[in-house]
């Protein structure tokens, strides 16, 4: 087998490791590409290509994460991982760990860990690497890696929500949710939402987003009930889809361009959290990205409850309209 063939065979694993460390599709792809360049230039063939390449991509990802954390401190509004539609790596023996570690909730928990703790946790708990391999990958002793693993596992267990394990039940609930959403059915939405449900958007200052988010089943169901009907009238499409291994959806404009993604966290038969990602920088890997501001302006022309929404934003401090999202549409600043 040639070097290229060996690398391509391991590429899905390398990407999956890098993505879980970085929470970014584009940065994970860059890390994998840098790994290939280093492997191609290496004068010797490693005893274990898998161990060698996994170590290289881990080190690159750790360095990238350290610099990414500085940028995330300056991020506008809530920060969520880049949505991933499918994990390229499959391992039947680790399927549960792989699926659980891919969810938005798990990736956000991983943000609490130091880069080293995160790398050790991912390699050990998700991909079942031995401590000798982990020690080589992160440049620490086995004893130190064991301590890092214990700390990381404790932090994760303290914050980890216990989501429904039954995939079919989650998918059926999501189907009912999106049906009610399309119909603008307030009561139907409310019965599917947890009492303390949250609806939060990541626009990164580059797309419309709700300042602060919405919370509670009553408020969230009322907001959701008026979003889809006018969106559908302008040709918008809601496409149910697994996102980060969770029930979710891709929203597209009439031309099929991506507007945003939604993921649903399910707990005890109810939707606990709805996270939307509309920052165009995080959607480019999914195809052409829509002009979310243009979609919003057109949608507002057909929104029958716009007055109620503006009233809600005024009373509760949540910003809804094209100039009420907590970010200002760039071209608006220069309009006369």
């Amino acid at each position: 087998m040639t070097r290229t063939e060996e690398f391509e065979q391991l590429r899905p694993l390398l990407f999956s490791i890098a993505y879980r460390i970085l929470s970014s599709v584009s940065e994970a792809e860059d890390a994998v590409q840098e790994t290939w360049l280093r492997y191609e230039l290496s004068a010797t063939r490693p005893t274990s290509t898998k161990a060698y390449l996994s170590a290289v991509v881990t080190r690159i990802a750790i360095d990238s994460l350290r610099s990414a954390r500085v940028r995330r401190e300056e991020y506008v509004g809530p920060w969520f991982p880049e949505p991933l539609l499918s994990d390229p790596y499959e391992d039947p023996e680790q399927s549960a760990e792989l699926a659980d570690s891919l969810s938005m909730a798990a990736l956000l928990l991983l943000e609490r860990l130091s880069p080293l703790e995160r790398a050790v946790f991912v390699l050990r708990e998700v991909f079942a690497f031995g401590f000798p391999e982990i020690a080589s990958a992160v440049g620490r002793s086995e004893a130190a890696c064991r301590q890092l693993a214990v700390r990381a596992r404790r932090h994760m267990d303290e914050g980890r929500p216990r989501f429904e394990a039954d995939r079919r039940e989650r998918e059926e609930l999501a189907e009912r949710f999106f049906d009610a959403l399309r119909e603008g059915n307030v009561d139907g939405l409310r019965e599917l939402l947890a009492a303390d449900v949250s609806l939060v958007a990541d626009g990164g200052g580059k797309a419309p987003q709700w300042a602060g988010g919405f919370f509670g089943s009553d408020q969230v169901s009322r907001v959701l009930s008026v979003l889809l009907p006018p969106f559908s009238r302008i040709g918008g499409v809601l496409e149910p889809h697994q996102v980060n291994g969770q029930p979710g959806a891709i929203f597209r404009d009439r031309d099929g361009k991506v507007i945003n993604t939604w993921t649903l966290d399910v707990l005890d038969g109810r939707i606990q959290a709805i996270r939307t990602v509309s920052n165009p920088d995080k959607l480019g890997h999914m195809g052409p990205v829509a002009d979310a501001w243009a979609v919003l302006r057109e949608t507002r022309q057909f929104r029958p409850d716009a007055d109620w929404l503006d009233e809600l934003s005024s009373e509760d401090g949540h910003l809804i309209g094209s100039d009420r999202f907590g970010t200002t549409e760039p071209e608006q600043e220069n309009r006369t």
Side-chain angles (χ1 to χ4, degrees), residues 210 214 219 222-224 226-227 300 303-315 318-321 324:
W210 302 295
F214 296 94
Q219 187 179 91
R222 294 172 69 201
V223 171
L224 291 177
V226 299
L227 291 180
R300 279 181 62 83
R303 192 152 62 193
D305 293 343
D307 291 342
W308 169 76
L309 284 168
D310 291 341
E311 189 175 309
L312 176 64
S313 68
S314 175
E315 291 177 357
H318 295 294
L319 312 179
I320 307 243
R324 297 183 174 87

Side-chain angles (χ1 to χ4, degrees), residues 119-159:
V120 169
F121 181 88
V122 167
L123 292 177
R124 180 62 180 173
E125 300 297 326
V126 180
F127 295 96
F129 277 72
F131 280 108
E133 295 171 300
I134 296 172
S136 175
V138 303
R140 296 291 189 275
S141 67
E142 289 186 42
C145 289
R146 291 179 186 277
Q147 292 178 344
L148 287 167
V150 169
R151 288 204 301 268
R153 193 180 305 115
R154 183 172 64 248
H155 290 315
M156 293 294 288
D157 288 343
E158 287 173 353

Side-chain angles (χ1 to χ4, degrees), residues 60 75 100 110 134 163 172 222 234 276 300:
I60 293 171
Y75 197 80
D100 181 65
L110 284 169
I134 296 172
F163 296 115
E172 290 177 350
R222 294 172 69 201
I234 67 168
T276 83
R300 279 181 62 83

